[in-house]
Amino acid sequence: MNGLEQTCASLRAQIAVTEAQLAGLKRELQIAEQAAHDSQVQSTSISSEDGAKEDRRWPLLAEEYRRYGRQMIVPQLGLRGQLKLRSAKVLIVGAGGLGCPAAMYLAGAGVGTLGLVDGDTVEASNLHRQVLHRSRNVGKLKVDSAIEYLQELNPHPTYIAHREHLAPDAAADIFKDYDLILDCTDNPATRYLISDTAVLLGKPLVSASALRTEGQLMVLNNPPRPVGDNSGGPCYRCVFPRPPPANTVTSCADGGILGPVVGTMGVLQALEAIKVITADDTQPPSPPALHIFSAYSSPLFRTIKLRSRRANCAVCSAEATVSLDTVRSGSTDYVFFCGSADSEMLLAPEERVTPLEYQALHPPSEPGVEGKQPTMIDVREKVQFDICSLDNSINIPISTILASSTSKGDDSSAQLPSWVPPELAAAESKDPIYVVCRMGNDSQIVVKKLKELGLDRQGQRRVVDIQGGFHSWRKQVDPEWPEY
């Protein structure tokens, strides 16, 4: 045993050393890429000066005229707009469902410098919507996968990879070298961080979000006036002074997303970015607005006018309390401000069983032998239940359960809500009830609800949840269970 422990300790030490070396190599690579970028910019500047000395006839290369000609003949763009695009530096935070189409169209349009910030790697579940990534790149860093595609699409722009999750202490240093920021992230804490940093550095921001079949789009801090200047465009805090409760925030992994929906919002971000970059400086920008897209509604789009900057905004008003120093130092705590999204432990240990414990208590019946199985309530929504389900389980979606506020005040089953199956409501039934969901969070809520309704018969009947849900079921019991 001592030998095994020493081996484990040695392996852990080797892993720690390797991870430290890898982190160092990543930092060196980022420094080298930035140096290469600076060198290219300097070379371009020298070439431009030499071209000016030679009285060059045309401002673009012949290949650029061929590549961008179809958009240059659009009156709103023209040669002037194309030159603005070529000199623009745009940062995209998030190389996922929004960032991929946005980056693709901005690169295709000829934006001179395109930076991407993301610390995630490509997963198979990304591929139906994150269109820059390929099956062969699963496991690769998203920014590297994206830039690989973009370089094939258009070799003219300079692509800069920021291989990290955006953090408060580094955000300002990353943003300062760019003209325009695109928020392509999917969580409130990062959205507030991006907006605050953009405002404090005087950068316009194009923000979008998408979930299920709906999306939202805004152009913020446009025009980017100094803090306290009421003529500037509103920021994210102006529109949403308070974040939504953490337990109401649904991710794409939990709520689902249609690829074309998030693709539509990402393309619109690219469009708005092009409009901001190529805008006529003599004309005021479009009034601030929130554009709402709904794939299954008619019309598809609705627009809500937004007010100008809030007089008491914590970032862009004269009463601002958020500064670059408070962001960098961590005094502005975004996780605390938005609340923790971690699942709560609502049940005591004795009110939960693992999938392995359930299998030991209720082994599957032998083929051809009928055996009574306990009641298993699956509280996933029907669309998920239809994808995969356990034999003899009962589907009662949690949305149906939470929509009912009826509680049992005495022994009369007539007061139970209609979603309670009759076999559970029967007074003589003492069979245990198990509740399962996808990840083991909703099932805890339902167990408490069932006990509030008196279905535990004052402790005489066991009502418990499957800890970890089907995520753990796949790991512990059935490796062939569909992972979605």
Side-chain angles (χ1 to χ4, degrees), residues 145-194:
S145 172
I147 289 175
E148 176 185 303
Y149 183 102
L150 295 173
Q151 286 173 332
E152 293 182 5
L153 173 67
N154 189 354
H156 292 288
T158 298
Y159 302 104
I160 301 176
H162 300 276
R163 301 175 181 88
E164 58 192 285
H165 295 292
L166 190 69
D169 59 345
D173 291 332
I174 294 174
F175 282 26
K176 63 182 175 60
D177 295 324
Y178 294 91
D179 308 313
L180 174 67
I181 313 299
L182 269 65
D183 179 356
C184 300
T185 61
D186 60 359
N187 69 87
T190 307
R191 290 188 180 281
Y192 282 102
L193 168 61
I194 292 171

Short mmCIF file of all heavy atoms in Angstrom, two decimals, residues 145-194:
data_model
loop_
_atom_site.label_atom_id
_atom_site.label_comp_id
_atom_site.label_asym_id
_atom_site.label_seq_id
_atom_site.Cartn_x
_atom_site.Cartn_y
_atom_site.Cartn_z
N SER A 145 -8.94 26.52 -32.66
CA SER A 145 -9.79 25.90 -33.67
C SER A 145 -10.43 26.97 -34.56
O SER A 145 -10.47 26.82 -35.79
CB SER A 145 -10.88 25.07 -32.99
OG SER A 145 -11.82 24.59 -33.92
N ALA A 146 -10.91 28.04 -33.93
CA ALA A 146 -11.57 29.11 -34.69
C ALA A 146 -10.58 29.81 -35.63
O ALA A 146 -10.88 30.05 -36.81
CB ALA A 146 -12.20 30.11 -33.73
N ILE A 147 -9.42 30.14 -35.11
CA ILE A 147 -8.43 30.87 -35.93
C ILE A 147 -7.94 30.00 -37.09
O ILE A 147 -7.68 30.50 -38.18
CB ILE A 147 -7.28 31.36 -35.04
CG1 ILE A 147 -7.78 32.49 -34.13
CG2 ILE A 147 -6.10 31.83 -35.88
CD1 ILE A 147 -6.76 32.99 -33.13
N GLU A 148 -7.85 28.71 -36.85
CA GLU A 148 -7.47 27.80 -37.93
C GLU A 148 -8.42 27.93 -39.11
O GLU A 148 -8.01 27.99 -40.28
CB GLU A 148 -7.46 26.36 -37.40
CG GLU A 148 -7.17 25.29 -38.43
CD GLU A 148 -7.30 23.90 -37.83
OE1 GLU A 148 -6.60 23.61 -36.84
OE2 GLU A 148 -8.11 23.10 -38.34
N TYR A 149 -9.71 27.98 -38.83
CA TYR A 149 -10.72 28.13 -39.88
C TYR A 149 -10.66 29.53 -40.50
O TYR A 149 -10.72 29.68 -41.73
CB TYR A 149 -12.12 27.88 -39.29
CG TYR A 149 -13.24 27.94 -40.30
CD1 TYR A 149 -13.82 26.78 -40.81
CD2 TYR A 149 -13.74 29.16 -40.76
CE1 TYR A 149 -14.86 26.83 -41.73
CE2 TYR A 149 -14.77 29.23 -41.69
CZ TYR A 149 -15.32 28.06 -42.16
OH TYR A 149 -16.34 28.13 -43.09
N LEU A 150 -10.55 30.54 -39.65
CA LEU A 150 -10.58 31.92 -40.15
C LEU A 150 -9.39 32.22 -41.06
O LEU A 150 -9.53 32.96 -42.04
CB LEU A 150 -10.60 32.90 -38.96
CG LEU A 150 -11.84 32.84 -38.07
CD1 LEU A 150 -11.65 33.73 -36.84
CD2 LEU A 150 -13.09 33.25 -38.83
N GLN A 151 -8.25 31.67 -40.76
CA GLN A 151 -7.08 31.90 -41.60
C GLN A 151 -7.27 31.30 -42.99
O GLN A 151 -6.77 31.84 -43.98
CB GLN A 151 -5.83 31.33 -40.93
CG GLN A 151 -5.35 32.16 -39.76
CD GLN A 151 -4.21 31.52 -38.99
OE1 GLN A 151 -4.08 30.29 -38.96
NE2 GLN A 151 -3.38 32.33 -38.37
N GLU A 152 -7.99 30.19 -43.07
CA GLU A 152 -8.31 29.62 -44.37
C GLU A 152 -9.35 30.47 -45.10
O GLU A 152 -9.31 30.60 -46.33
CB GLU A 152 -8.82 28.19 -44.21
CG GLU A 152 -7.77 27.21 -43.70
CD GLU A 152 -8.31 25.80 -43.59
OE1 GLU A 152 -9.48 25.58 -44.01
OE2 GLU A 152 -7.59 24.92 -43.09
N LEU A 153 -10.28 31.04 -44.32
CA LEU A 153 -11.31 31.88 -44.93
C LEU A 153 -10.73 33.17 -45.49
O LEU A 153 -11.03 33.57 -46.62
CB LEU A 153 -12.39 32.20 -43.88
CG LEU A 153 -13.47 33.21 -44.28
CD1 LEU A 153 -14.35 32.62 -45.39
CD2 LEU A 153 -14.33 33.58 -43.08
N ASN A 154 -9.89 33.83 -44.70
CA ASN A 154 -9.31 35.10 -45.13
C ASN A 154 -7.94 35.28 -44.47
O ASN A 154 -7.86 35.51 -43.26
CB ASN A 154 -10.22 36.28 -44.77
CG ASN A 154 -9.76 37.58 -45.38
OD1 ASN A 154 -8.70 37.66 -46.00
ND2 ASN A 154 -10.55 38.63 -45.21
N PRO A 155 -6.86 35.20 -45.22
CA PRO A 155 -5.53 35.32 -44.63
C PRO A 155 -5.10 36.76 -44.36
O PRO A 155 -4.06 36.98 -43.74
CB PRO A 155 -4.62 34.69 -45.70
CG PRO A 155 -5.34 34.94 -46.99
CD PRO A 155 -6.81 34.87 -46.66
N HIS A 156 -5.86 37.73 -44.80
CA HIS A 156 -5.44 39.13 -44.67
C HIS A 156 -5.50 39.67 -43.23
O HIS A 156 -4.57 40.36 -42.80
CB HIS A 156 -6.28 40.03 -45.59
CG HIS A 156 -6.01 39.81 -47.04
ND1 HIS A 156 -4.85 40.20 -47.67
CD2 HIS A 156 -6.76 39.21 -48.01
CE1 HIS A 156 -4.89 39.88 -48.95
NE2 HIS A 156 -6.04 39.26 -49.18
N PRO A 157 -6.56 39.42 -42.46
CA PRO A 157 -6.59 39.95 -41.09
C PRO A 157 -5.50 39.36 -40.21
O PRO A 157 -4.97 38.28 -40.47
CB PRO A 157 -7.99 39.56 -40.58
CG PRO A 157 -8.80 39.32 -41.81
CD PRO A 157 -7.83 38.77 -42.81
N THR A 158 -5.21 40.07 -39.14
CA THR A 158 -4.33 39.56 -38.08
C THR A 158 -5.21 38.95 -37.00
O THR A 158 -6.14 39.61 -36.51
CB THR A 158 -3.48 40.69 -37.48
OG1 THR A 158 -2.63 41.23 -38.50
CG2 THR A 158 -2.62 40.17 -36.35
N TYR A 159 -4.96 37.71 -36.64
CA TYR A 159 -5.76 37.01 -35.64
C TYR A 159 -4.95 36.86 -34.35
O TYR A 159 -3.80 36.41 -34.39
CB TYR A 159 -6.20 35.64 -36.15
CG TYR A 159 -7.00 35.71 -37.43
CD1 TYR A 159 -6.42 35.38 -38.66
CD2 TYR A 159 -8.32 36.14 -37.43
CE1 TYR A 159 -7.14 35.46 -39.83
CE2 TYR A 159 -9.05 36.22 -38.60
CZ TYR A 159 -8.46 35.88 -39.81
OH TYR A 159 -9.17 35.97 -40.97
N ILE A 160 -5.54 37.24 -33.24
CA ILE A 160 -4.86 37.18 -31.95
C ILE A 160 -5.66 36.28 -31.01
O ILE A 160 -6.86 36.50 -30.80
CB ILE A 160 -4.70 38.58 -31.32
CG1 ILE A 160 -3.90 39.49 -32.27
CG2 ILE A 160 -4.02 38.49 -29.97
CD1 ILE A 160 -3.77 40.91 -31.77
N ALA A 161 -4.99 35.26 -30.47
CA ALA A 161 -5.64 34.32 -29.57
C ALA A 161 -5.37 34.70 -28.12
O ALA A 161 -4.22 34.89 -27.73
CB ALA A 161 -5.13 32.91 -29.85
N HIS A 162 -6.43 34.81 -27.34
CA HIS A 162 -6.32 35.00 -25.89
C HIS A 162 -6.87 33.72 -25.27
O HIS A 162 -8.07 33.56 -25.10
CB HIS A 162 -7.11 36.22 -25.43
CG HIS A 162 -6.65 37.50 -26.07
ND1 HIS A 162 -5.60 38.25 -25.59
CD2 HIS A 162 -7.11 38.16 -27.17
CE1 HIS A 162 -5.44 39.32 -26.35
NE2 HIS A 162 -6.33 39.29 -27.32
N ARG A 163 -5.97 32.81 -24.94
CA ARG A 163 -6.38 31.46 -24.50
C ARG A 163 -6.66 31.45 -23.00
O ARG A 163 -5.92 30.87 -22.21
CB ARG A 163 -5.27 30.47 -24.85
CG ARG A 163 -4.96 30.42 -26.35
CD ARG A 163 -3.76 29.52 -26.63
NE ARG A 163 -3.44 29.48 -28.05
CZ ARG A 163 -2.63 30.34 -28.65
NH1 ARG A 163 -2.05 31.31 -27.94
NH2 ARG A 163 -2.40 30.25 -29.94
N GLU A 164 -7.75 32.07 -22.63
CA GLU A 164 -8.09 32.17 -21.20
C GLU A 164 -9.54 32.60 -21.06
O GLU A 164 -10.13 33.18 -21.96
CB GLU A 164 -7.19 33.21 -20.53
CG GLU A 164 -7.29 34.61 -21.16
CD GLU A 164 -6.22 35.56 -20.70
OE1 GLU A 164 -6.34 36.03 -19.56
OE2 GLU A 164 -5.28 35.82 -21.48
N HIS A 165 -10.08 32.29 -19.91
CA HIS A 165 -11.40 32.83 -19.57
C HIS A 165 -11.19 34.28 -19.12
O HIS A 165 -10.23 34.58 -18.40
CB HIS A 165 -12.04 32.01 -18.46
CG HIS A 165 -12.36 30.60 -18.86
ND1 HIS A 165 -13.32 30.28 -19.78
CD2 HIS A 165 -11.81 29.42 -18.46
CE1 HIS A 165 -13.39 28.97 -19.94
NE2 HIS A 165 -12.46 28.43 -19.15
N LEU A 166 -12.07 35.15 -19.53
CA LEU A 166 -11.92 36.56 -19.18
C LEU A 166 -12.04 36.72 -17.67
O LEU A 166 -13.01 36.32 -17.05
CB LEU A 166 -12.98 37.40 -19.89
CG LEU A 166 -12.77 38.91 -19.78
CD1 LEU A 166 -11.55 39.33 -20.59
CD2 LEU A 166 -14.00 39.66 -20.27
N ALA A 167 -11.03 37.34 -17.07
CA ALA A 167 -10.99 37.56 -15.62
C ALA A 167 -10.90 39.05 -15.34
O ALA A 167 -10.33 39.81 -16.14
CB ALA A 167 -9.80 36.83 -15.01
N PRO A 168 -11.44 39.52 -14.20
CA PRO A 168 -11.42 40.95 -13.90
C PRO A 168 -10.02 41.57 -13.88
O PRO A 168 -9.85 42.70 -14.33
CB PRO A 168 -12.06 41.01 -12.50
CG PRO A 168 -12.96 39.81 -12.44
CD PRO A 168 -12.22 38.75 -13.22
N ASP A 169 -9.02 40.83 -13.40
CA ASP A 169 -7.70 41.42 -13.30
C ASP A 169 -7.00 41.56 -14.65
O ASP A 169 -6.01 42.30 -14.77
CB ASP A 169 -6.82 40.61 -12.34
CG ASP A 169 -6.66 39.16 -12.79
OD1 ASP A 169 -7.44 38.72 -13.65
OD2 ASP A 169 -5.76 38.47 -12.27
N ALA A 170 -7.50 40.87 -15.68
CA ALA A 170 -6.84 40.91 -16.99
C ALA A 170 -7.69 41.59 -18.06
O ALA A 170 -7.18 41.90 -19.15
CB ALA A 170 -6.50 39.49 -17.45
N ALA A 171 -8.97 41.85 -17.78
CA ALA A 171 -9.88 42.35 -18.82
C ALA A 171 -9.41 43.66 -19.43
O ALA A 171 -9.38 43.82 -20.65
CB ALA A 171 -11.28 42.50 -18.23
N ALA A 172 -9.03 44.61 -18.59
CA ALA A 172 -8.64 45.93 -19.11
C ALA A 172 -7.40 45.84 -19.99
O ALA A 172 -7.31 46.51 -21.03
CB ALA A 172 -8.39 46.90 -17.95
N ASP A 173 -6.43 45.01 -19.60
CA ASP A 173 -5.21 44.87 -20.39
C ASP A 173 -5.49 44.26 -21.76
O ASP A 173 -4.82 44.57 -22.74
CB ASP A 173 -4.19 44.01 -19.64
CG ASP A 173 -3.64 44.71 -18.40
OD1 ASP A 173 -3.61 45.96 -18.40
OD2 ASP A 173 -3.26 44.03 -17.44
N ILE A 174 -6.48 43.37 -21.82
CA ILE A 174 -6.85 42.77 -23.10
C ILE A 174 -7.64 43.77 -23.95
O ILE A 174 -7.39 43.94 -25.15
CB ILE A 174 -7.67 41.49 -22.88
CG1 ILE A 174 -6.82 40.42 -22.21
CG2 ILE A 174 -8.23 40.96 -24.20
CD1 ILE A 174 -7.58 39.17 -21.82
N PHE A 175 -8.59 44.47 -23.35
CA PHE A 175 -9.49 45.36 -24.09
C PHE A 175 -8.78 46.58 -24.67
O PHE A 175 -9.19 47.12 -25.69
CB PHE A 175 -10.62 45.84 -23.18
CG PHE A 175 -11.72 44.84 -22.95
CD1 PHE A 175 -11.47 43.47 -23.04
CD2 PHE A 175 -13.00 45.25 -22.63
CE1 PHE A 175 -12.48 42.55 -22.82
CE2 PHE A 175 -14.02 44.34 -22.41
CZ PHE A 175 -13.75 42.98 -22.50
N LYS A 176 -7.74 47.06 -24.01
CA LYS A 176 -7.19 48.38 -24.33
C LYS A 176 -6.68 48.51 -25.76
O LYS A 176 -6.65 49.62 -26.32
CB LYS A 176 -6.07 48.74 -23.35
CG LYS A 176 -4.84 47.82 -23.40
CD LYS A 176 -3.81 48.23 -22.37
CE LYS A 176 -2.64 47.27 -22.30
NZ LYS A 176 -1.90 47.14 -23.56
N ASP A 177 -6.30 47.41 -26.40
CA ASP A 177 -5.72 47.47 -27.74
C ASP A 177 -6.77 47.33 -28.84
O ASP A 177 -6.42 47.29 -30.02
CB ASP A 177 -4.67 46.37 -27.91
CG ASP A 177 -3.47 46.58 -26.99
OD1 ASP A 177 -3.10 47.75 -26.78
OD2 ASP A 177 -2.92 45.58 -26.48
N TYR A 178 -8.05 47.27 -28.47
CA TYR A 178 -9.11 47.06 -29.47
C TYR A 178 -10.04 48.28 -29.53
O TYR A 178 -10.15 49.05 -28.58
CB TYR A 178 -9.90 45.80 -29.14
CG TYR A 178 -9.08 44.53 -29.26
CD1 TYR A 178 -8.39 44.03 -28.15
CD2 TYR A 178 -8.95 43.87 -30.46
CE1 TYR A 178 -7.61 42.88 -28.25
CE2 TYR A 178 -8.18 42.72 -30.58
CZ TYR A 178 -7.51 42.23 -29.48
OH TYR A 178 -6.74 41.11 -29.58
N ASP A 179 -10.71 48.42 -30.69
CA ASP A 179 -11.62 49.55 -30.91
C ASP A 179 -13.06 49.22 -30.53
O ASP A 179 -13.83 50.10 -30.18
CB ASP A 179 -11.59 49.96 -32.39
CG ASP A 179 -10.19 50.21 -32.90
OD1 ASP A 179 -9.43 50.91 -32.20
OD2 ASP A 179 -9.84 49.71 -33.99
N LEU A 180 -13.42 47.95 -30.64
CA LEU A 180 -14.81 47.53 -30.48
C LEU A 180 -14.83 46.15 -29.84
O LEU A 180 -14.00 45.29 -30.17
CB LEU A 180 -15.51 47.48 -31.85
CG LEU A 180 -16.94 46.94 -31.91
CD1 LEU A 180 -17.90 47.87 -31.18
CD2 LEU A 180 -17.37 46.77 -33.37
N ILE A 181 -15.79 45.93 -28.92
CA ILE A 181 -15.89 44.66 -28.20
C ILE A 181 -17.21 43.97 -28.56
O ILE A 181 -18.25 44.63 -28.65
CB ILE A 181 -15.84 44.88 -26.68
CG1 ILE A 181 -14.69 45.83 -26.29
CG2 ILE A 181 -15.73 43.54 -25.95
CD1 ILE A 181 -13.31 45.34 -26.65
N LEU A 182 -17.16 42.66 -28.77
CA LEU A 182 -18.37 41.86 -28.94
C LEU A 182 -18.50 40.91 -27.76
O LEU A 182 -17.58 40.13 -27.48
CB LEU A 182 -18.32 41.05 -30.24
CG LEU A 182 -18.91 41.71 -31.49
CD1 LEU A 182 -18.11 42.94 -31.88
CD2 LEU A 182 -18.97 40.71 -32.64
N ASP A 183 -19.63 40.99 -27.05
CA ASP A 183 -19.91 40.09 -25.94
C ASP A 183 -20.64 38.88 -26.50
O ASP A 183 -21.82 38.96 -26.83
CB ASP A 183 -20.76 40.80 -24.88
CG ASP A 183 -21.10 39.89 -23.71
OD1 ASP A 183 -20.75 38.69 -23.76
OD2 ASP A 183 -21.73 40.37 -22.75
N CYS A 184 -19.95 37.76 -26.59
CA CYS A 184 -20.53 36.52 -27.10
C CYS A 184 -20.50 35.44 -26.01
O CYS A 184 -20.30 34.26 -26.30
CB CYS A 184 -19.77 36.06 -28.33
SG CYS A 184 -19.79 37.24 -29.70
N THR A 185 -20.69 35.86 -24.76
CA THR A 185 -20.64 34.93 -23.63
C THR A 185 -22.05 34.51 -23.23
O THR A 185 -23.04 34.94 -23.83
CB THR A 185 -19.93 35.58 -22.43
OG1 THR A 185 -20.65 36.75 -22.02
CG2 THR A 185 -18.52 35.98 -22.82
N ASP A 186 -22.14 33.68 -22.20
CA ASP A 186 -23.45 33.12 -21.84
C ASP A 186 -23.72 33.12 -20.34
O ASP A 186 -24.51 32.32 -19.86
CB ASP A 186 -23.58 31.69 -22.37
CG ASP A 186 -22.51 30.75 -21.81
OD1 ASP A 186 -21.66 31.22 -21.02
OD2 ASP A 186 -22.52 29.56 -22.15
N ASN A 187 -23.04 34.01 -19.58
CA ASN A 187 -23.36 34.06 -18.16
C ASN A 187 -23.34 35.52 -17.67
O ASN A 187 -22.55 36.33 -18.15
CB ASN A 187 -22.40 33.21 -17.33
CG ASN A 187 -21.00 33.77 -17.29
OD1 ASN A 187 -20.67 34.61 -16.45
ND2 ASN A 187 -20.15 33.32 -18.22
N PRO A 188 -24.23 35.86 -16.74
CA PRO A 188 -24.40 37.25 -16.31
C PRO A 188 -23.14 37.88 -15.74
O PRO A 188 -22.85 39.05 -16.03
CB PRO A 188 -25.50 37.16 -15.25
CG PRO A 188 -26.27 35.94 -15.60
CD PRO A 188 -25.25 34.98 -16.13
N ALA A 189 -22.38 37.17 -14.93
CA ALA A 189 -21.20 37.77 -14.30
C ALA A 189 -20.22 38.28 -15.35
O ALA A 189 -19.69 39.40 -15.24
CB ALA A 189 -20.52 36.75 -13.38
N THR A 190 -19.97 37.49 -16.38
CA THR A 190 -19.04 37.91 -17.44
C THR A 190 -19.63 39.06 -18.25
O THR A 190 -18.90 39.95 -18.70
CB THR A 190 -18.70 36.73 -18.35
OG1 THR A 190 -18.24 35.63 -17.56
CG2 THR A 190 -17.61 37.10 -19.34
N ARG A 191 -20.92 39.08 -18.44
CA ARG A 191 -21.56 40.17 -19.20
C ARG A 191 -21.35 41.51 -18.49
O ARG A 191 -21.04 42.52 -19.13
CB ARG A 191 -23.05 39.90 -19.37
CG ARG A 191 -23.36 38.75 -20.31
CD ARG A 191 -24.85 38.65 -20.58
NE ARG A 191 -25.13 37.54 -21.48
CZ ARG A 191 -24.95 37.58 -22.79
NH1 ARG A 191 -24.49 38.69 -23.34
NH2 ARG A 191 -25.22 36.54 -23.54
N TYR A 192 -21.54 41.52 -17.18
CA TYR A 192 -21.32 42.77 -16.44
C TYR A 192 -19.85 43.17 -16.48
O TYR A 192 -19.53 44.36 -16.62
CB TYR A 192 -21.80 42.61 -15.00
CG TYR A 192 -23.30 42.70 -14.84
CD1 TYR A 192 -24.08 41.55 -14.68
CD2 TYR A 192 -23.95 43.94 -14.86
CE1 TYR A 192 -25.46 41.64 -14.56
CE2 TYR A 192 -25.33 44.02 -14.72
CZ TYR A 192 -26.08 42.87 -14.57
OH TYR A 192 -27.45 42.97 -14.46
N LEU A 193 -18.96 42.22 -16.36
CA LEU A 193 -17.53 42.51 -16.43
C LEU A 193 -17.16 43.11 -17.78
O LEU A 193 -16.43 44.12 -17.86
CB LEU A 193 -16.72 41.23 -16.19
CG LEU A 193 -15.22 41.29 -16.51
CD1 LEU A 193 -14.52 42.34 -15.65
CD2 LEU A 193 -14.58 39.91 -16.33
N ILE A 194 -17.66 42.52 -18.86
CA ILE A 194 -17.36 43.02 -20.21
C ILE A 194 -17.88 44.43 -20.39
O ILE A 194 -17.18 45.33 -20.88
CB ILE A 194 -17.95 42.08 -21.28
CG1 ILE A 194 -17.23 40.73 -21.25
CG2 ILE A 194 -17.87 42.70 -22.67
CD1 ILE A 194 -17.89 39.67 -22.11
#
